[in-house]
Amino acid sequence: MPDTMSTDHGSVPNLADVQAAVLQPRPTPYAGTYLALRIDDRRQARALVQRMLPMLDSVASFDAERQVSLAIGFSFEGLRAIGVPEDSLATFSPEFQQGMAARAAELGDVGDSSPANWEGPLGSKDVHLMLVGLAPDAPRLEAILLLARDALRDLPGVATIWQQEVFAAPNEREPFGFKDGIGQPAIEGAAIPCTNSREERLKAGEFLLGFEDETGSIAAVPQPDILGRGGTYAAFRKLHTRVADFRQYLRDRAADRADEELLAAKVVGRWPSGAPLPLSPDRDDPELGADPHRNNDFQYGDDPRGLKCPLGSHARRMNPRDAIITGEVRLHRMIRRGTNYGPPLPQGVYEDDGADRGIVFAFIGAHLARQFEFVQAQWVNDGKFIGVPVEKDPLVGANDDGQFTVPRTPIRRRFQGLPPFVVNRGGEYCFLPSLSALRWIADLDT
């Protein structure tokens, strides 16, 4: 087995070898499907990978006009099930080897979000292979899913065990009613536009294994090199949103409708249109929110007390930018992709209608511990890094009678009794191999 530290890998990724879904921005709007598969016969699973390879675009070959993509990821148990040798499996990160359910304590998956309450089979050892299809509309999604189903035909040793339909609305708003998907990192060599002129591009090694990262080194690459290089880790979570509870909480503590909207924006860090509070602290600005050249082009340095955007707001916690915090922001950046599921709760409704709605969240990055798990543990579920140790993220934190402070002069506003507005219904850590790695997997003879 080669050494786990790769050498002489350069700093520019081969975009013709990276699955398109890893780096390619999603279309707006879009329809999508998550499929979880169980591998009962490794040779049939390899045949499936072989059949699907022609359907997979790389970042370089992605058709920007067609905007249709299909991606493949494996859980740790999935790599084992398809026959990746044990000495190779031992070179993956410890967090990936353990899986998301085993990391519940670190991730704040407690109470209603604990693995004991997850939707089956999520979090079980049966989730081996994840397929994700995305397209601008349902007909084009169905066309690519038909190809995937054809690939599965005559392979009874690979079973579909879970399916989740997802979508992004034309206004790009998540179930709470706020525009989502703003503020993705710019990456060296990825040819993806930077939307924050104040942020330098991050090293490719933050998002792809086998390349130099922000620490100036190359992280351990799963071996053999053809398996790990150009791949990355993903964490997906099905997050149920308690939209009616969120609206009721705000209404009960607001002086009037305008105050309710302001408090909601303070919790999120943006207005519903996507306009960021640092650029528009007092009122929504739909024109700003809709402008991709301006709605992410800001920092927090001129707002050290959080008078415009609260220190503990969701958006500021997810990416503190140049704010004064404990730690180095650039070491914890990640690609975040959230997509809706379930019917939206109509505007003006404050009572829960019993429908299951939420977000299927996906993290993509080369460092599960330093990026995804750190942000969950420190930025979402602990306020020490911003000087408010008793507060968690007011929107997605594991709150139980939580607290949220809105700085204001002359007297701050402090809100008590925050319940959990988001509940994790289950998820998994996956490895997204490069196209070369998928060919290597398909050719295994173990």
Side-chain angles (χ1 to χ4, degrees), residues 4 75-76 79 87-100 103 209 219-223 228 232-234 363 365-370 373 429-431:
T4 56
S75 69
F76 180 73
L79 290 174
D87 53 356
S88 285
L89 294 175
T91 61
F92 282 85
S93 77
E95 301 78 23
F96 175 66
Q97 293 186 41
Q98 294 173 36
M100 185 180 290
R103 306 290 293 174
L209 291 159
V221 179
Q223 295 296 303
T232 191
Y233 292 110
F363 149 87
H367 309 274
L368 276 171
R370 171 156 69 74
E373 292 197 350
Y429 287 160
C430 291
F431 174 64

Side-chain angles (χ1 to χ4, degrees), residues 6-245:
S6 301
T7 58
D8 192 27
H9 282 156
S11 58
V12 180
N14 177 9
L15 299 183
D17 198 34
V18 177
Q19 290 195 61
V22 172
L23 299 177
Q24 191 63 44
R26 294 177 173 180
T28 301
Y30 65 80
T33 295
Y34 278 73
L35 295 172
L37 289 78
R38 186 187 65 238
I39 298 171
D40 296 321
D41 184 311
R42 64 178 52 174
R43 296 188 184 281
Q44 291 187 19
R46 293 170 192 165
L48 173 65
V49 173
Q50 189 71 55
R51 292 176 185 180
M52 294 198 66
L53 271 165
M55 307 176 198
L56 304 178
D57 278 314
S58 70
V59 176
S61 68
F62 183 76
D63 186 339
E65 295 293 325
R66 188 163 164 261
Q67 290 281 329
V68 172
S69 68
L70 196 62
I72 292 182
F74 292 88
S75 69
F76 180 73
E77 294 299 332
L79 290 174
R80 173 173 282 154
I82 206 168
V84 172
E86 289 294 328
D87 53 356
S88 285
L89 294 175
T91 61
F92 282 85
S93 77
E95 301 78 23
F96 175 66
Q97 293 186 41
Q98 294 173 36
M100 185 180 290
R103 306 290 293 174
E106 288 78 6
L107 298 173
D109 286 337
V110 297
D112 289 347
S113 294
S114 67
N117 297 320
W118 285 7
E119 172 183 319
L122 300 177
S124 76
K125 292 184 180 300
D126 283 345
V127 177
H128 292 159
L129 194 154
M130 294 295 302
L131 294 180
V132 183
L134 294 174
D137 50 49
R140 277 180 278 188
L141 174 65
E142 184 57 28
I144 194 168
L145 291 179
L146 276 175
L147 293 176
R149 293 190 188 102
D150 280 346
L152 271 165
R153 187 169 299 166
D154 302 327
L155 298 176
V158 185
T160 301
I161 57 174
W162 181 78
Q163 180 168 341
Q164 180 66 59
E165 310 301 334
V166 296
F167 67 96
N171 62 12
E172 301 177 79
R173 296 193 181 190
E174 38 80 313
F176 290 114
F178 290 78
K179 186 172 182 176
D180 199 14
I182 302 171
Q184 301 291 359
I187 305 165
E188 287 186 359
I192 295 173
C194 180
T195 57
N196 184 350
S197 64
R198 298 162 179 80
E199 181 180 55
E200 294 184 12
R201 289 181 178 272
L202 288 128
K203 298 287 187 184
E206 291 297 310
F207 306 99
L208 294 172
L209 291 159
F211 300 92
E212 182 179 324
D213 63 24
E214 288 291 316
T215 69
S217 60
I218 298 173
V221 179
Q223 295 296 303
D225 201 59
I226 193 172
L227 173 62
R229 181 172 166 76
T232 191
Y233 292 110
F236 85 89
R237 294 159 74 80
K238 182 176 178 179
L239 302 175
H240 170 69
T241 53
R242 293 173 169 168
V243 178
D245 288 357

Side-chain angles (χ1 to χ4, degrees), residues 284-307:
D284 201 353
D285 183 344
E287 185 176 339
L288 168 61
D291 188 344
H293 301 292
R294 295 194 295 143
N295 63 15
N296 187 46
D297 198 5
F298 65 92
Q299 302 284 54
Y300 292 115
D302 65 345
D303 184 30
R305 295 173 57 193
L307 293 172

